[in-house]
Amino acid sequence: MTNHVVLFRGINVGGKNMVPMSELGQLLKEMGFGNVATHIQSGNVILRSQLAEDALARTIEKKLGAAFKLDGSAVKVLALTGKRFQAIVDDRPAGFGDVPDMYHCDAIFLMGITAGEALPAFSPLDGVDTIWPGDGVIYSQRLSARRTKSRLNRMMASPLYKSMTIRSWGTTMKLLEMVRQQTGGAS
């Protein structure tokens, strides 16, 4: 069995597609996944499974739609092995996430599209926004003092946004910590 980070897109946002994390955790346990642990309400789960990433995501998506009343067009699931999640953290740009008082940093996880395909949805504002493409992720950094000027929300208006899910860098690091705890320090 392999550790996975499972990210849910489109649940518990703006009062729509409400899925209580306790019920989601229970559903995943009933599906036979091991060491299920949830983190905050936005849809973050750590679990163990024998399934490959894509098969795991599709299996959960099917069950999720059957178990909860959801707008299926908005909900997607992304599963990443603990090793792949670790690589996303390791491959971040130099200094990314290291100065949270100065910059707000997000990992924008890509679902079925490449970074090259996703980049046209972004229009960073010089001096405020910086983005870097990664493997399965876009790293986004905003100058906190000018955060209200950020153009990140323009990306959210793009049809490509349906193939992305955003996690703050703090949440990303917490999920990595949870994976490490389940594996005794290794991802």
Side-chain angles (χ1 to χ4, degrees), residues 61 82 87 90 117 151 153 155 183:
E61 276 181 3
D90 291 346
E117 293 167 324
R151 291 185 181 163
N153 61 347
M155 174 272 301
T183 60

Side-chain angles (χ1 to χ4, degrees), residues 150-169:
S150 173
R151 291 185 181 163
L152 183 64
N153 61 347
R154 290 185 184 185
M155 174 272 301
M156 294 175 190
S158 166
L160 292 171
Y161 181 56
K162 291 183 179 184
S163 297
M164 303 177 199
T165 188
I166 302 173
R167 297 300 183 275
S168 72
W169 194 247

Side-chain angles (χ1 to χ4, degrees), residues 80-168:
L80 301 166
T81 64
K83 286 183 181 183
R84 187 159 172 221
F85 200 81
Q86 176 73 59
I88 286 170
V89 171
D90 291 346
D91 293 343
R92 71 185 181 181
F96 184 84
D98 292 347
V99 191
D101 292 338
M102 184 176 284
Y103 297 104
H104 182 84
C105 295
D106 295 304
I108 303 171
F109 294 91
L110 306 176
M111 307 169 98
I113 62 173
T114 66
E117 293 167 324
L119 284 175
F122 294 83
S123 58
L125 179 62
D126 285 341
V128 177
D129 301 304
T130 308
I131 59 169
W132 298 267
D135 184 11
V137 66
I138 301 287
Y139 302 94
S140 172
Q141 177 176 278
R142 297 185 306 284
L143 183 63
S144 295
R146 297 189 61 207
R147 201 164 142 192
T148 59
K149 304 289 184 199
S150 173
R151 291 185 181 163
L152 183 64
N153 61 347
R154 290 185 184 185
M155 174 272 301
M156 294 175 190
S158 166
L160 292 171
Y161 181 56
K162 291 183 179 184
S163 297
M164 303 177 199
T165 188
I166 302 173
R167 297 300 183 275
S168 72

Side-chain angles (χ1 to χ4, degrees), residues 8-19:
F8 294 78
R9 182 200 187 287
I11 66 169
N12 301 340
V13 179
K16 297 179 183 174
N17 290 326
M18 299 307 293
V19 177

